Amino acid sequence: MGVPSSMSILGGEASDLLVRFVNTNGMVFDFGWGNQWVTITSEHSSGAYIRYTGGSLFGKTGVSSAYATTGTTFTPATNTTYRLRVAWHSAATNVAFYVLNPSTFATIWSDTLSTNLPSNIGMGHGFRTYLTGTPAAQPLIDHGYVDIHNMNR
């Protein structure tokens, strides 16, 4: 889990994570911006992030626990490396979610949300992975790097 200090979204921010899912059995995974990074298993009440649960990746936004989720999902293959990207529109009016080929940057899956977008609140940024239920300890992901950049520059 990575947790930098709080930041406000002004528009144009994007973040990439290089990740390989090793074992997705019972796993929940979040990557992006959110306000709940301290208690691992608590849902972000406000944020914009990619979530994995129940066998699929999808985009999710939320404001004060009112959520929107993307209309499409992506099922990642285990032991395959992906580049995940969460990108805010230049005016912060929507958020795009991507799964990219890590070598060519070709889009494998994408979707966009323009509802329940947090604004004027500080959010942390990072990723986290945890197990639900009582599965045996297991490796869940391998990750390369996290990059935050501004697409407007």
Side-chain angles (χ1 to χ4, degrees), residues 3-68:
V3 185
S5 60
S6 182
M7 58 187 353
S8 293
I9 300 299
L10 302 175
E13 295 82 2
S15 184
D16 290 6
L17 172 67
L18 197 63
V19 66
R20 180 173 66 97
F21 297 99
V22 177
N23 188 336
T24 57
N25 194 17
M27 181 185 82
V28 176
F29 168 85
D30 292 334
F31 165 65
W33 283 270
N35 69 337
Q36 180 54 267
W37 294 102
V38 177
T39 306
I40 297 295
T41 58
S42 293
E43 179 83 28
H44 299 289
S45 61
S46 296
Y49 50 97
I50 291 175
R51 171 162 268 218
Y52 176 93
T53 189
S56 298
L57 283 171
F58 54 92
K60 190 166 188 176
T61 57
V63 176
S64 299
S65 298
Y67 300 106

Side-chain angles (χ1 to χ4, degrees), residues 90-115:
S90 61
T93 55
N94 65 50
V95 181
F97 305 92
Y98 299 91
V99 176
L100 305 170
N101 178 300
S103 301
T104 66
F105 292 88
T107 301
I108 299 170
W109 170 83
S110 68
D111 207 335
T112 303
L113 287 171
S114 58
T115 57

